């Protein structure tokens, strides 16, 4: 008897096959700007389809290990990672995934659009990186912080190097076991020595990319007041000058056994008078400085969510076109087409939100608009990523539940996205704070109004849904901004934030749709319509998802 073997999913070129990515690059960079990025993106896509897939698999199947002592009892605190992890580290440097927005050539070519190109690189590279996107995010955040506080630091040069032999990544040591996201309860202290240098003492509970050569840690300087605002960021070198011997007083207590992101070495760290370098004036409140790093990492989180959703969709589409069911090919089944079509719309929405956030980062990294958009982008895309990953597993049936197919990893890794850098509830409270500063939600609501006006002639029903949603939002935002600490407002913060994020996404998709329609492409209008009617109008669009399936993917 011949044994049936189902073909595994294949992925197309993640750059040339993604018409949505290419359209957004054309609009945000202009044709000349996109043309200047094409060779870089094509080279990265070729690596993703080739050696990086093998490196990704190797890193996933050979998780990191910790050796605290050598055979004779000397403390070495060595974290060993797979060869594939090192290949991914080198590729991040070589393809300038961190470095690009910090290079003079990129600024000369794209200006503020260098962050748009960086986001495109992350979109292509991230899903095949065994979540090396985590140290990449923290390296970028650390580079942004050093640019603002210590631009002459040799560490900044190494964080933004494109030479794999000199490039480093950074960890981020914020949380402690007694406080978690409530960093106001941090007990790590910073002490100034008589010679003017600083040391840190305390325990940090969740330290990702513990194999990085440096980390940025929060600590409370001697004499600083209570609360989170008086914490200050410090750069902690992991090793002494020889690059091998662990820093004095630094101990890795254990590696975390995590649900997902298993290739990323994450540990608990004890600091006992560990040498550290203050980033900015440690005698002044420093949490605002640390937020420079946090905003960047939150945006990387959103980029990882959108990229993972798109790659998961690619896997599910490949399987559907090869899977025989009663009545023919799975991809021809109306119900399955509607399901995958909905996932395509969600992936497009996540990409639009992440792309907008990176555009703001390039244009005004400290602006009030980004202060609101950063938590919204992470909040919305993180939740979408988990829901989508669950659907991708379902799309494979039993094979989606079997570890060696690689499909379960999509869900395990997605679950970190709503947790790392602030849970949904923590981010929702950040959104409330942002509503009371600067112009609050005014730019977002104004953008939605303009998008609705522009859509009236082409998509009247869609425009009506945006107008109605915006009016309700404006009233609820006014109420929240007037008394952001009331029990009623805080209890509803999650839903308010999701509505803000969904409305902003609708506006962004409609903006892009109008641009594309002027160039004869109606596909973005279809995506914008389906997102808006489903997310803002609570409409059943299943029949449209089935009918227009081929246009959506």
């Amino acid at each position: 008897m011949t044994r049936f073997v189902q073909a595994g999913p294949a992925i197309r070129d993640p750059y040339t096959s993604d018409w949505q990515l290419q359209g957004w690059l054309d609009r945000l960079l202009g044709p000349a700007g996109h043309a200047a990025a094409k060779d870089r993106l094509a080279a990265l896509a070729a690596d993703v389809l080739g050696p990086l897939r093998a490196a990704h698999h190797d890193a996933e199947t050979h998780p990191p290990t910790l050796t605290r002592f050598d055979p004779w009892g000397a403390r070495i605190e060595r974290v060993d990672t797979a060869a594939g992890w090192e290949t991914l580290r080198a590729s991040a440097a070589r393809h300038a995934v961190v470095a690009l927005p910090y290079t003079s050539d990129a600024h000369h070519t794209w200006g503020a659009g260098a962050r748009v190109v960086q986001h495109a690189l992350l979109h292509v590279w991230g899903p095949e990186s065994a979540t090396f996107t985590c140290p990449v995010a923290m390296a970028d955040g650390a580079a942004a912080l050093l640019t603002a506080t210590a631009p002459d630091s040799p560490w900044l040069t190494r964080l933004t190097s494109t030479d794999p032999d000199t490039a480093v990544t950074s960890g981020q040591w914020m949380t402690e076991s007694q406080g978690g996201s409530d960093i106001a309860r941090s007990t790590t202290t910073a002490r100034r020595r008589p010679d003017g240098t600083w040391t840190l003492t305390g325990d940090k509970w969740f330290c990702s990319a513990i194999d990085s050569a440096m980390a940025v840690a929060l600590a409370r300087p001697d004499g600083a007041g209570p609360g989170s605002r008086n914490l200050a960021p410090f750069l902690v070198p992991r090793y002494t000058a020889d690059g091998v011997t662990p820093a004095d007083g630094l101990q890795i207590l254990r590696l975390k056994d995590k649900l997902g992101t298993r290739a990323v070495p994450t540990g608990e760290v004890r600091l006992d008078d560990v040498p550290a370098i203050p980033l900015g004036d440690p005698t002044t409140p420093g949490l605002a400085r640390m937020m420079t790093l946090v905003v960047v990492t939150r945006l990387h989180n959103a980029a990882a969510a959108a990229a993972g959703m798109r790659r998961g969709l690619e896997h599910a589409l490949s399987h559907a076109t090869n899977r025989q069911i009663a009545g023919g090919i799975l991809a021809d089944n109306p119900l399955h087409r509607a399901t995958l079509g909905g996932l395509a719309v969600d992936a497009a929405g996540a990409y639009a939100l992440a792309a907008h956030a990176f555009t703001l980062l390039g244009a005004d990294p400290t602006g009030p608009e980004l202060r609101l958009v950063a938590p919204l982008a992470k909040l919305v895309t993180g939740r979408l990523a988990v829901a989508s990953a669950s659907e991708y597993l379902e799309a494979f049936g039993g094979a989606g539940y079997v570890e060696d197919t690689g499909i379960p990893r999509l869900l395990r890794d997605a679950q970190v996205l709503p947790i790392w850098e602030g849970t949904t509830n923590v981010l929702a409270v950040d959104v409330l704070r942002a509503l009371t500063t600067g112009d609050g939600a005014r730019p977002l609501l104004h953008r939605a109004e303009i998008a609705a006006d522009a859509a009236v002639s082409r998509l009247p029903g869609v425009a009506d849904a945006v107008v109605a949603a915006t009016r309700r939002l404006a009233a609820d935002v006014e109420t929240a901004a007037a008394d952001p600490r009331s029990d009623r407002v805080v209890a509803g913060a999650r839903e308010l934030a999701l509505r803000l994020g969904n409305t902003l996404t609708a506006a962004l998709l409609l903006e892009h749709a109008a641009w594309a329609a002027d160039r004869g492409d109606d596909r973005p209008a279809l995506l914008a319509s389906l997102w808006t009617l489903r997310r803002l109008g609570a409409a059943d669009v299943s029949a449209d998802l089935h009918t227009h399936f081929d246009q959506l993917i």
Side-chain angles (χ1 to χ4, degrees):
M1 182 179 76
T2 302
R3 180 171 176 269
F4 173 76
V5 177
Q6 175 65 45
I11 63 170
R12 298 170 293 176
D13 184 296
Y15 170 52
T16 60
S17 70
D18 192 337
W19 61 267
Q20 295 170 47
L21 170 62
Q22 297 207 38
W24 278 82
L25 291 175
D26 279 340
R27 182 168 72 89
L28 296 178
L29 298 175
H34 184 186
K38 280 185 176 179
D39 286 349
R40 183 182 292 274
L41 287 162
L44 177 56
D47 262 9
V48 165
L49 292 172
L52 294 190
R53 296 205 79 190
H56 167 91
H57 179 74
D58 180 61
E60 286 288 342
T61 52
H62 298 91
T65 60
L66 169 65
T67 302
R68 296 199 60 206
F69 300 95
D70 75 6
W72 302 100
R75 188 169 60 84
I76 55 176
E77 309 291 349
R78 189 182 73 231
V79 176
D80 291 311
T81 53
W85 186 250
E86 299 309 312
T87 298
L88 292 163
R89 183 192 305 278
S91 78
R94 192 171 60 253
H95 289 288
V97 178
V98 173
L100 186 80
Y102 299 92
T103 65
S104 57
D105 285 349
H107 280 283
H108 176 74
T109 303
W110 298 292
R115 284 289 187 181
V116 174
V117 181
Q118 181 193 32
H119 176 235
L121 293 172
L122 290 166
H123 195 71
V124 170
W125 179 79
E128 234 66 43
S129 72
T131 54
F132 200 88
T133 45
C134 174
V136 158
M138 294 186 293
D140 191 2
L145 178 56
L146 265 66
T147 298
T149 60
D152 296 326
S153 170
W155 286 103
L156 177 58
T157 302
R158 298 193 68 188
L159 286 166
T160 58
S161 173
T162 56
D163 179 358
D165 292 333
T166 59
V168 298
T169 57
S170 176
Q172 180 179 337
W173 301 349
M174 293 177 64
T175 59
E176 299 177 14
S177 57
Q178 74 280 4
S181 296
D182 181 11
I183 57 174
R185 300 178 65 193
S186 296
T187 58
T188 299
T189 58
R191 180 176 66 89
R192 189 178 220 154
R193 291 168 165 168
D195 63 2
T197 60
W198 290 79
T199 63
L200 305 187
T201 297
D203 286 357
K204 294 296 183 181
W205 188 80
F206 201 91
C207 304
S208 288
I210 196 65
D211 59 330
S212 295
M214 57 162 281
V216 176
L218 274 180
R220 194 177 308 280
D222 281 345
S228 60
R229 68 184 296 270
N230 291 308
L231 298 170
F234 289 81
L235 190 158
V236 182
R238 276 266 286 113
Y239 304 99
T240 59
D242 65 10
V244 177
T245 306
D248 290 341
L250 193 154
Q251 300 177 55
I252 303 175
L253 301 181
R254 61 171 175 165
L255 295 183
K256 300 289 191 182
D257 184 9
K258 298 168 293 179
L259 170 68
T261 65
R262 292 176 178 174
V264 183
T266 302
E268 293 180 33
V269 173
R270 173 160 295 165
L271 307 167
D272 186 6
D273 276 339
V274 175
I277 303 165
L279 297 175
D281 182 358
T283 65
T284 62
L287 184 62
R289 294 194 297 277
M290 188 66 172
M291 290 306 296
T292 299
L293 184 155
V294 172
V295 165
V296 172
T297 52
R298 284 178 172 176
L299 266 54
H300 276 261
N301 199 95
M309 290 169 69
R310 179 68 195 183
R311 195 63 53 84
L313 177 64
E314 187 73 12
H315 285 301
L317 288 169
S318 174
H319 180 70
T321 58
N322 289 296
R323 181 66 174 171
Q324 289 277 350
I325 61 168
I329 299 293
L330 181 58
D332 294 334
N333 177 274
L335 180 56
H336 200 66
R337 286 164 66 89
T339 301
L340 294 185
L343 291 167
V345 173
D346 287 347
Y351 180 84
L353 197 48
H356 177 59
F358 271 82
T359 302
L360 290 177
L361 180 64
D364 188 4
T366 60
E369 188 173 0
L370 185 59
R371 183 179 178 186
L372 175 61
V373 170
L376 286 179
K378 183 197 175 301
L379 181 153
V380 172
T381 59
R383 298 194 66 77
L384 283 173
V386 174
S388 294
S390 180
E391 290 283 6
Y392 295 141
L393 266 66
E394 230 182 297
F396 281 86
Y401 202 65
V402 177
E403 281 287 354
D404 57 6
T405 65
I407 305 302
R409 184 188 61 80
L410 299 177
L411 183 57
R412 287 191 285 99
D413 287 352
Q415 188 59 66
V416 76
L417 297 167
I419 295 175
W420 186 63
E421 292 297 18
T423 63
T424 302
N425 286 357
V426 168
L427 292 166
V429 173
D430 281 355
V431 168
L432 289 182
R433 294 191 188 102
L435 294 180
T436 64
T437 60
D439 289 331
R442 189 175 302 165
L444 187 158
L445 297 172
H446 184 58
R447 181 182 293 271
E449 291 168 357
I450 292 174
D453 287 344
V456 167
S457 60
R458 292 187 176 117
L459 305 165
V462 173
D464 289 346
V466 175
V467 169
T470 303
R471 285 175 179 168
R472 290 194 300 271
L473 260 182
D476 291 343
V477 163
E478 185 176 358
T479 299
D483 191 5
R485 296 185 179 181
S486 74
D487 288 351
R488 183 178 182 84
V489 169
V490 173
R494 173 191 286 236
E495 291 306 313
L496 178 61
L498 286 168
R499 288 166 54 208
L500 281 164
N502 288 339
T503 302
L504 173 59
T505 303
L508 296 170
L509 290 171
L510 286 168
E511 286 175 3
H512 185 66
W515 173 88
D518 289 340
R519 287 152 183 80
D521 186 358
D522 292 330
R523 292 173 298 178
L526 180 60
L527 285 168
S529 299
L530 292 169
W531 171 277
T532 303
L533 293 173
R534 189 167 58 156
R535 295 287 174 184
L536 302 189
D540 180 0
V541 295
S542 303
D544 291 322
L545 291 169
H546 157 57
T547 302
H548 301 292
F549 174 73
D550 293 331
Q551 293 170 270
L552 297 174
I553 62 172

